[in-house]
Amino acid sequence: QEFISDSEGSDIRCFVIEKEVVAAMKRTAKFGDFRSNIHAGGLGSMTEITHEERKMAIDAANFLNLPIAGVDILRSNNGPKLLEVNSSSGLEEIERVTSINIAHKIIKLVEKMWGKIHNCSFVISLDEEFLQWFETRKDLQKYPCSTVVSYSD
């Protein structure tokens, strides 16, 4: 893998849901490290993405047939470089940085996809807050096969 020195220990995480970048943040490595991953000590911050970066993120997710993806892009002097595409990206930092409720957008997509196929409503909950949110959604609970899945890492 080519080392891109002009990325200066940072990258862009674009969160794509159904052919749309719903959120993006800059991730910066902690001092003395080159890895900008949040779980490696990186820190997220607000950023604006370019049209080219947006298109790259959407195209990468589409190429891999992923309706939900975290797409990592490096900014270089020669334009953006695709770094990695994640089919299961963490939400906590990008939701904190952008104040966008991505988990809710994922729930809506899952409802749409699985509801069409199985005439059911499936709710994926990533934390206690969303379990509480689900309990307030009487409209979802009316489906005979409503399922709540809780996940935390």
Side-chain angles (χ1 to χ4, degrees), residues 5-20:
S5 62
D6 34 306
S7 71
E8 299 176 348
S10 68
D11 67 13
I12 305 300
R13 162 65 56 90
C14 296
F15 208 98
V16 178
I17 299 178
E18 205 172 31
K19 301 179 182 180
E20 178 187 356

Side-chain angles (χ1 to χ4, degrees), residues 12-152:
I12 305 300
R13 162 65 56 90
C14 296
F15 208 98
V16 178
I17 299 178
E18 205 172 31
K19 301 179 182 180
E20 178 187 356
V21 175
V22 297
M25 71 175 172
K26 181 178 181 179
R27 300 184 310 171
T28 304
K30 66 182 179 182
F31 182 76
D33 200 349
F34 67 92
R35 298 170 299 160
S36 57
N37 304 60
I38 301 306
H39 292 292
L43 184 63
S45 61
M46 290 292 292
T47 192
E48 294 291 325
I49 61 172
T50 66
H51 173 74
E52 188 177 8
E53 290 165 342
R54 183 177 307 278
K55 183 176 178 346
M56 179 181 283
I58 293 168
D59 289 350
N62 287 344
F63 181 80
L64 295 171
N65 201 26
L66 294 173
I68 301 167
V71 181
D72 299 339
I73 297 171
L74 290 175
R75 288 178 169 164
S76 78
N77 293 333
N78 296 319
K81 307 273 186 193
L82 181 64
L83 178 63
E84 181 177 35
V85 180
N86 301 278
S87 61
S88 179
S89 295
L91 301 179
E92 187 174 352
E93 184 72 356
I94 196 165
E95 284 189 329
R96 182 191 69 76
V97 167
T98 63
S99 298
I100 295 171
N101 190 338
I102 298 169
H104 179 74
K105 293 178 182 295
I106 293 170
I107 288 168
K108 293 310 231 175
L109 176 61
V110 171
E111 287 174 359
K112 180 176 144 184
M113 291 171 68
W114 286 97
K116 285 181 182 177
I117 296 169
H118 301 290
N119 196 26
C120 299
S121 178
F122 291 84
V123 177
I124 299 174
S125 178
L126 302 178
D127 58 27
E128 189 64 32
E129 179 182 338
F130 280 94
L131 286 174
Q132 292 170 1
W133 171 83
F134 176 76
E135 290 174 6
T136 67
R137 291 287 306 268
K138 300 297 183 199
D139 59 318
L140 297 180
Q141 295 172 15
K142 69 183 177 188
Y143 295 103
C145 56
S146 290
T147 303
V148 178
V149 178
S150 181
Y151 170 78
S152 61

